[in-house]
Amino acid sequence: MQKIFISLAVLASMGQNTFGQANLSNAKPEQYRPQFHFTPKAHWMNDPNGMVYFKGTYHLFFQYHPTGTTWGPMHWGHTTSKDMVHWQEQPIALYPDSLGMIFSGSAVVDRDNTSGFGKNGQTPLVAIFTHHNARLEKEKTGKFQYQSLAYSLDEGKTWTKYAGNPVLPNPGITDFRDPKVRWYEPRKKWIMTLATKDHITFYSSPNLKRWTKESEFGNNVGAHGGVWECPDLFPLDYNGRKAWVLLVSINPGGPNGGSATQYFVGDFDGSQFKPFSTETKWMDYGTDNYAGVTFSNTGTRTVLIGWMSNWQYAEKVPTNTWRSATTVPRELGLKEVNNQLLLTSTPVKELDELNGKTTTLNNVTVKGQYDLTAKIGSKAESFKLTLSAPAANDFSIVLANEQNNELVIGYDKAHNAFFINRTKSGKIDFEKGFGKRHSAPRLTTDSQISLTLLVDAASVELFADGGLTVMTDIFFPDKAMTKLFIKSATGVSIKDLKFTPLTPSVLAGL
Ligand code: FRU
């Protein structure tokens, strides 16, 4: 299903639900509330926005509808963290104004005060975002999205919109949005990577206010099953060299349906992006990692957070007071496989703060079914599981409960593929495409498969082969999944199995 942007007036007439936060304070822990993923206290969230690290604090802004649990007039919600793990929700940062709603965008530390927003030596944080004007949209001018600025001089607490907005008017492209800006040191200028319908347009600027078009990329390259959105462009090191990665989210057209993020690896010279290969590659083969972008100002680290949902069903998922969580933060890297540079994603090391006591089992022989439940205690609701297994055998990891719900994560040797099967995972009938089996190719030929699984109340994140193949899927069991099995019909010997409960003391966002 293609998402349709509806105007403020239409939403008001629909009488959106509101859930006062007071309701929440007396509430029982909510069934699908994640323990270690960020969720807003209440209401609707989609894309991560404006991710920036500044003076010891990670700022995560997000597309937010503060009076409803479906998509609506977009604001920038705000949450902060010292470690990307424990989040503290903050007051809304940006409200819609006469130029429109506040769509996705980025934030930068303007260290040299190129924008001139800094006063008396202060370093401004500058947000670059899309204004979406519902009135102009109705007039069918095609020019209803344009780029604007806001700045903060108090470390992200309060924001002032620039009086000269918009800074990049619409040239007549209906989908003209989601600016991701970074400083390009060799040419001492800012580069904006912008989604422009079915391709990317790069712009440059000396001061964030005056933008010049540099080049376009992607008209005839990559996946085009849907509109291009939320791009990101960043360099990554590998073996002492540097390559540039361009992320492009598309909706729909993902490898397992709905929204997903493709990537290209190549060169960027401050003006043009040239891919090394034009083959379509996916950052995550699950259906629930969309619109992910990276933090600015994290030095040599490149850390991504995505929206853990999919436009195909995001507005229908069975949570009551809030909708959507973010993925765990993921460190990005490059790995050379068969002469190709591929993107890897792995959970950031900060997540280890959540580790409870690890149970280690060596050389577990599984023929049929191996019940891990007794070894790990009855509560398998939020945990990390790592193991290694020979690629010569099929095997699966099964989360289950007394209600006969099952979520199956596994490796299918015949297809050399990983999979997550949520066809029997509990509530699936809120949308006809939800209860499916998703698969992802294995990209290495190593004889041993290494897996890391992060499981929370309603999500699983699979990192295989050092993060070369990644799958993120959400699920909604009738009751918590408290049982854990490993299965293999042909038989398999599992090495180095480690089960680590992740402490539920972290009610992220609560
Ligand atoms: C991606 C997206 C962006 C847009 C925002 C609106 O999920 O469609 O392209 O800026 O959501 O909320």
Side-chain angles (χ1 to χ4, degrees):
M1 184 185 64
Q2 184 101 27
K3 161 187 40 131
I4 298 166
F5 296 126
I6 31 181
S7 72
L8 274 165
V10 174
L11 279 160
S13 69
M14 282 163 57
Q16 291 289 304
N17 287 341
T18 53
F19 299 95
Q21 290 177 12
N23 288 346
L24 286 172
S25 55
N26 299 326
K28 297 200 292 288
E30 296 149 287
Q31 193 180 8
Y32 301 124
R33 182 74 82 171
Q35 303 291 291
F36 62 93
H37 291 83
F38 172 73
T39 49
K41 288 192 183 77
H43 304 122
W44 167 269
M45 168 177 78
N46 54 286
D47 315 354
N49 293 151
M51 290 162 54
V52 62
Y53 180 64
F54 189 52
K55 297 197 176 165
T57 299
Y58 293 91
H59 293 265
L60 168 65
F61 302 87
F62 50 91
Q63 288 287 279
Y64 189 45
H65 180 200
T67 54
T69 49
T70 52
W71 190 87
M74 283 290 115
H75 301 53
W76 272 25
H78 186 197
T79 185
T80 55
S81 173
K82 294 284 177 202
D83 56 8
M84 297 185 275
V85 178
H86 302 82
W87 293 97
Q88 193 64 47
E89 197 169 342
Q90 306 292 339
I92 289 172
L94 296 174
Y95 286 80
D97 57 45
S98 62
L99 289 173
M101 311 176 201
I102 315 297
F103 272 23
S104 288
S106 48
V108 294
V109 178
D110 184 10
R111 209 168 295 287
D112 297 331
N113 196 21
T114 62
S115 62
F117 291 139
K119 300 280 174 266
N120 309 320
Q122 287 159 309
T123 301
L125 282 180
V126 182
I128 310 97
F129 59 89
T130 301
H131 261 126
H132 175 105
N133 189 309
R135 183 179 52 77
L136 292 180
E137 184 182 14
K138 266 198 239 137
E139 289 174 8
K140 305 222 178 302
T141 61
K143 298 188 175 185
F144 51 88
Q145 293 181 343
Y146 31 76
Q147 320 319 320
S148 292
L149 305 179
Y151 61 92
S152 171
L153 300 177
D154 57 5
E155 298 178 24
K157 285 190 196 64
T158 60
W159 292 80
T160 306
K161 304 239 182 68
Y162 173 45
N165 284 340
V167 290
L168 179 57
N170 190 310
I173 301 176
T174 44
D175 296 286
F176 188 71
R177 59 177 181 264
D178 309 338
K180 182 74 164 83
V181 173
R182 67 176 299 113
W183 180 250
Y184 187 75
E185 181 60 25
R187 296 205 187 171
K188 304 237 177 295
K189 61 185 184 180
W190 299 100
I191 297 294
M192 179 195 290
T193 306
L194 192 70
T196 47
K197 200 181 176 84
D198 55 359
H199 61 277
I200 297 300
T201 306
F202 297 105
Y203 293 85
S204 70
S205 170
N207 58 5
L208 297 166
K209 292 172 172 164
R210 209 174 57 244
W211 292 94
T212 309
K213 181 171 166 178
E214 291 286 342
S215 68
E216 294 181 0
F217 169 79
N219 260 319
N220 307 308
V221 188
H224 282 276
V227 67
W228 283 25
E229 302 184 312
C230 299
D232 197 354
L233 175 76
F234 47 84
L236 286 178
D237 285 336
Y238 72 101
N239 294 342
R241 290 198 286 154
K242 190 194 255 188
W244 288 77
V245 176
L246 176 65
L247 302 181
V248 178
S249 283
I250 76 167
N251 176 50
N256 283 294
S259 328
T261 303
Q262 59 180 323
Y263 73 90
F264 305 89
V265 182
D267 267 337
F268 182 70
D269 62 3
S271 176
Q272 278 196 316
F273 176 79
K274 296 215 176 85
F276 298 149
S277 141
T278 52
E279 207 180 289
T280 303
K281 300 187 177 76
W282 299 99
M283 181 171 74
D284 190 320
Y285 281 83
T287 51
D288 297 296
N289 176 8
Y290 192 61
V293 285
T294 59
F295 279 104
S296 29
N297 202 37
T298 48
T300 53
R301 292 185 81 182
T302 305
V303 178
L304 175 132
I305 292 181
W307 174 44
M308 200 156 59
S309 198
N310 189 312
W311 282 114
Q312 192 178 312
Y313 43 72
E315 294 181 294
K316 298 180 183 164
V317 299
T319 55
N320 293 325
T321 57
W322 89 98
R323 275 214 176 93
S324 305
T326 54
T327 66
V328 290
R330 297 162 183 201
E331 193 103 33
L332 302 184
L334 287 174
K335 189 163 181 196
E336 195 170 339
V337 180
N338 297 332
N339 298 322
Q340 288 227 57
L341 282 181
L342 301 181
L343 188 65
T344 59
S345 317
T346 46
V348 294
K349 61 180 181 324
E350 284 85 343
L351 286 159
D352 289 347
E353 290 168 31
L354 302 174
N355 289 354
K357 193 170 173 305
T358 298
T359 304
T360 304
L361 303 170
N362 291 312
N363 302 321
V364 177
T365 303
V366 181
K367 177 83 177 134
Q369 170 174 309
Y370 182 91
D371 189 347
L372 266 173
T373 318
K375 301 251 179 338
I376 56 163
S378 65
K379 261 245 170 273
E381 223 188 325
S382 41
F383 64 87
K384 174 166 69 177
L385 185 75
T386 61
L387 57 79
S388 117
N393 304 97
D394 289 330
F395 64 92
S396 60
I397 298 152
V398 181
L399 312 183
N401 61 13
E402 299 290 348
Q403 286 64 37
N404 292 325
N405 297 160
E406 269 192 5
L407 181 81
V408 188
I409 303 116
Y411 174 65
D412 167 1
K413 181 178 178 279
H415 297 96
N416 194 29
F418 299 100
F419 66 89
I420 299 182
N421 188 340
R422 61 182 181 193
T423 53
K424 295 187 196 146
S425 60
K427 295 190 176 56
I428 56 166
D429 56 6
F430 52 87
E431 197 272 331
K432 68 176 175 1
F434 185 82
K436 289 233 164 108
R437 180 185 188 275
H438 303 144
S439 75
R442 181 165 195 241
L443 300 172
T444 71
T445 49
D446 295 354
S447 60
Q448 287 284 319
I449 294 174
S450 70
L451 289 188
T452 297
L453 273 190
L454 293 181
V455 174
D456 205 339
S459 66
V460 59
E461 291 162 282
L462 164 68
F463 302 90
D465 297 319
L468 276 174
T469 301
V470 177
M471 300 185 82
T472 304
D473 271 8
I474 54 175
F475 60 96
F476 300 94
D478 295 317
K479 286 249 170 80
M481 299 290 207
T482 49
K483 300 179 177 191
L484 188 58
F485 302 95
I486 300 188
K487 295 190 182 182
S488 175
T490 52
V492 69
S493 171
I494 307 275
K495 289 207 297 193
D496 309 323
L497 185 147
K498 289 192 166 59
F499 175 90
T500 309
L502 299 177
T503 51
S505 60
V506 191
L507 277 174
L510 283 182

